[in-house]
Amino acid sequence: MGHRLTSQKTATPLIVEGSLLNTSKSALAYQTILRSAIGSSLTTTTRRGFFTNSEQKEVEDVVSFYDDKVTQYANQEIQTVTLKTLLGLGRSGTTCQDHHQRSEAAGDLAINLDVARYARKELPVRLARLIKATQKLPFIVGTNPYIKRVYKLYYDSFQSITASPEEIRDKDDLDSFAALLKGLVESHADVVPMLSQGFLECKKYMAKEDIKRFLDDMIRARIGIRLIAEQAISLREQRHEHEASPVETPHNDIVGVVHTELRPADLIRTCASFVQELCDVNYGSSPEVVINGQTDTTFTYVPVHLEYILCELLKNSVRATVEQSQKLGRSALNPHGNGPERRHQESGNSAVIINQDDDQDVTKRPNEFGHPPVEVTIAQGDHEVTIRIRDHGGGISQEDFAAVFDYSFTTVKNENESSGGSAEDDSPYGVDNIFKGVSRLAMQAGLGGPIAGLGFGLPLTRIYAQYFGGDMHLISLQGHGCDVFLKLKQIDESLDDLQI
Amino acid sequence: MAMPRLPQTLQTSLGQTTSRCQRLYSSSSSCSFSTTTTTTAAAVRRTPLLINNNLKSNKNTSALGQCRIVTRTKHHLTGTNATETTTTTARKGYSSLATASHSHTPPPSITNANSAANAGRPYQQEQQQLLHRSKNQQSSKPIHIASSTFPSMPNSNLNATPSAAATTTVSPQSSPLFRMNNPASIVKQPQARRRYSPQHFYQNRILDPYVHQAVSPITLRQLVFFGRNMQEDKLLKSANYVRTELPIRLAHRIRDFQNLPFIAFERLVKIPEIKTLEENDAFCEMVKGLLNDHLVVIPQLALGIMECSKHIPAAQIDQFMNKMLRSRISRRVLAEQHITLTANFNSPNHMMTDRGYIGIIYTHIRPKDIVERTAALAADTCRQASGGMNPPKVMLDGNIDAEFTYIPDHIEYILYELLKNSMRFVMQNGKRDPATGDLPPIQVTVCEGTHEIVFRVSDKGGGIHPEMESQLWSYAQSPARFANFEKISKMAATVQEQVTPSSPSSPSTSFRESDDGQDQDDNIVLPPPPAANKNSTYQPSESTLLLDRHAPTRGQSSQKSSFSTTATASSHQQYKNQSLHLGIGLPMSRVYAEYWGGDLKVFTMHGYGTDAYAKFCKFGNIYENFDV
């Protein structure tokens, strides 16, 4: 996956569950990269002929059973680190507001070394814990090829990090360590799809709650590991840039994987156009995305996380809107479909205006395909940024709503086992069935299929949202639509006590 | 009762309350149960102070109430002096009670009570086959009745300073009104003639058979089915159901307290089976009287909570409060339904009056109507509270013509509360349209799902600060929010009481205005209300007194929730000061919403606005939810 680095000039390419982020890229370039990146993951994860024979052998050759190094590491305490340390702020003592200073700090070798040393020390411990957790799975589950493969990935990563020189003394050590990390991060891009498929196949061997707990813990731990590793990598790369062109400091606000002046409105726009294009491919039309509220908000966050969340939520909303349009017969000529008669009138008393004339309201006016828009509202509070995504997609029925945050594996199952479309209709908010047709089409067209890499649905989204102390709530108004409230803490506000 | 320390506002108000209290004294001798719940809540509020009191034997019941509350609510607090001391007092109270008591009718046998109860559960029987549900539910759901009827003692007996005693009796039972409703003359109640009811510890046995019976929950749908085509035998069945069910619910609640607010219970227990319409009318009168007495419960409880909040964990208070309110709704629904059924039945044209109303239930609620009504009320409220500023418009969309069955009072309370909150926030924080100068409108969206109707109230009022948000549903976390309860004595928790009556002829209020701006807890500072209401003392107006609750002449238009409207007629007059922010609206709304299986959620976007989602089950087939 060498292409991941090709167009990289300013910001670091970051890989989160197979997606790439580079906010400064044009939307199209961005999407192409995203697709090709995930395309490869799709092909590896959704086909049964996943392992070559030699790989299969390799997996079985792992002699980790006799390896007590894992246990030894796993028994060490996790050293939580504050984001402040990762940003290099602890050392230089700069404040969050001082961009110039921080930019220099980012290029500072000493901070770079600090983070790398921390990563060298901490990553084996965290990896060992993941390995341990996997070892404790029921034996039959552990023999599943997908889970075994994940296990092997973690075990190999553990091995290669512990085998690397323990001391990171200078720039050269730093570079080789960063290169090692980079390789590992790339090799782990497909872990979540693999886990998902693996546990789908193991459904009958483990209780649903146990699977959910395991996956939650696994994914949460994984976010932490990736954050540390990616920060080490990207700091180093920023330093390289800085050294290459010390005069230019075009991205003072990007420190490693953290963006201190992230504009959610921009990111929403990027994600929206990406999702809309997917939707066009699949359904032939897509709704508008209206962004309102405090659109000039900026805050400190990890853009890849937010990007993943937004893409996931927008995808759900866009798809639900289009499908609801089909269901109601909404079209360009008949924008309200077979719904109730609309009217705009002053009500009998002056306090209430009955307003069903959607053309009056930009958040409700249907576009040329008859799709009402998806409304995204940004609000900046004292301690948090809230993003509300509101659609007219008909909501979720009470029965389905209970399962919305479950890890659901219906799509992958459809692809591999039933290949029928019925299950898809049953759980519109199930996991990565969402643009299943798209990925197939896209692959046929040689575009690569982007969706499988993004499609772990709401549970994963919520874990990301909660990772820095935020939260996500989904409210279904059956017959109308869904409101999602995404509440994100400004991470520089709790920089000191935020531990990852 | 010795009141060691009076809240500032009360002390300054004493001058105005004295005359009212004296009237109360005179009435209290003839109707001892009238002060019941005042005492309850007073007990709660005074717990920390009780230790120093010199309790005399003739106010033992009060002491008992106090002590039991203290021991119950504080037993998680370890090692506080207060707990130990008051427990001692409780024991003292018990023993002296025992000696003071003289006689009492023997408790009914368990078998009698059981058979009576089974005979009198018409709603369940009506619906038995429909719902495949056993008549005698085995699950014993403890029922906690909010409007506790504590052993009431005539306050005049308390060894209090006059001012303190006066404070104790900021009570609703002003004598003329009360006497009218006093059913003692109708139902034979020799005990009620006593200065105070004899009771003692061992009479707990009377309670036992009732506690042992499971409460029979009902659904809205059962109420509707039963209430259709009312006939005499059905009405009597209804009466007997209420007669048997109310004591059971009271008893469960009493057991929960382990203290006996005996009198209301006693009165109910003693009523024989209701066989004629005349007996039914008398029964209704009595129940009405009880309901009216209990209007003081919420304000008093709130004050109690406020003063106890330093001593009891907030979560515990919230749970307690929710239970109280829930069970209070449960009994009011039963009683009001029966009273309204009776009233409608008695009206001469009752055969023609079935236009969707079955008792207090309306089977054709249209979201459009109910939003329009509550929005207009909320707008009036906010306009008055802000001194004439125009509140934001309410934009209504969605499935506004959906019809469903519900108790309009409950929905109205919730929507009124939500709209009022939204309007206040928008008026305070909303950014006006630069072109038109209009406040950003409040968007109400009605959505109909397969099982539910959801009202979404979405405003751009700047949202709620995270610190406030965490306290949104708590009664106890910001105790100061209840400070305004000092100023009212009755609350039925309905919309009617919060809205100025349309006729300006009855502007009497019984709370004392305060000018000290009690609204700061929400950072909602609105201009003081118009001066017209100031300092008026309680003068029951003609209109209040002459409201005949089952007058056959009552027009059809008012038959909807006929009872609750009149029941609150007296309370709204003391409550209508629109600037009174009581801080109980949201949690109370949620209790209402959850009661028939719905819910209420609030999500806020600080810096922008707030969305509230009130969900109601539209079929009415959910059993009453009176357990936490």
Side-chain angles (χ1 to χ4, degrees), chain A residues 267-285:
Chain A
L267 200 51
I268 291 165
R269 227 165 270 131
T270 314
C271 294
S273 66
F274 167 59
V275 168
Q276 278 168 334
E277 193 174 313
L278 281 184
C279 189
D280 283 337
V281 173
N282 196 29
Y283 294 97
S285 62

Side-chain angles (χ1 to χ4, degrees), chain B residues 260-293:
Chain B
L260 309 183
F262 225 66
I263 294 157
F265 178 72
E266 215 177 35
R267 293 167 64 87
L268 283 165
V269 169
K270 287 186 174 175
I271 300 171
E273 190 174 345
I274 298 159
K275 296 198 179 76
T276 67
L277 284 179
E278 287 70 33
E279 283 175 10
N280 180 44
D281 288 348
F283 176 67
C284 285
E285 280 305 312
M286 198 212 75
V287 174
K288 269 181 236 168
L290 289 178
L291 283 182
N292 206 19
D293 298 342

Side-chain angles (χ1 to χ4, degrees), chain A residues 260-328:
Chain A
T260 54
E261 278 182 63
L262 182 63
R263 288 172 71 92
D266 293 347
L267 200 51
I268 291 165
R269 227 165 270 131
T270 314
C271 294
S273 66
F274 167 59
V275 168
Q276 278 168 334
E277 193 174 313
L278 281 184
C279 189
D280 283 337
V281 173
N282 196 29
Y283 294 97
S285 62
S286 62
E288 299 299 313
V289 175
V290 175
I291 303 171
N292 57 21
Q294 292 153 338
T295 48
D296 51 353
T297 300
T298 63
F299 73 127
T300 302
Y301 210 73
V302 179
V304 270
H305 287 190
L306 185 56
E307 184 224 11
Y308 176 77
I309 295 168
L310 287 172
C311 278
E312 198 60 51
L313 296 178
L314 284 172
K315 211 170 56 184
N316 286 346
S317 287
V318 163
R319 172 183 179 266
T321 304
V322 174
E323 296 202 338
Q324 179 77 355
S325 291
Q326 290 172 350
K327 194 172 146 196
L328 295 181

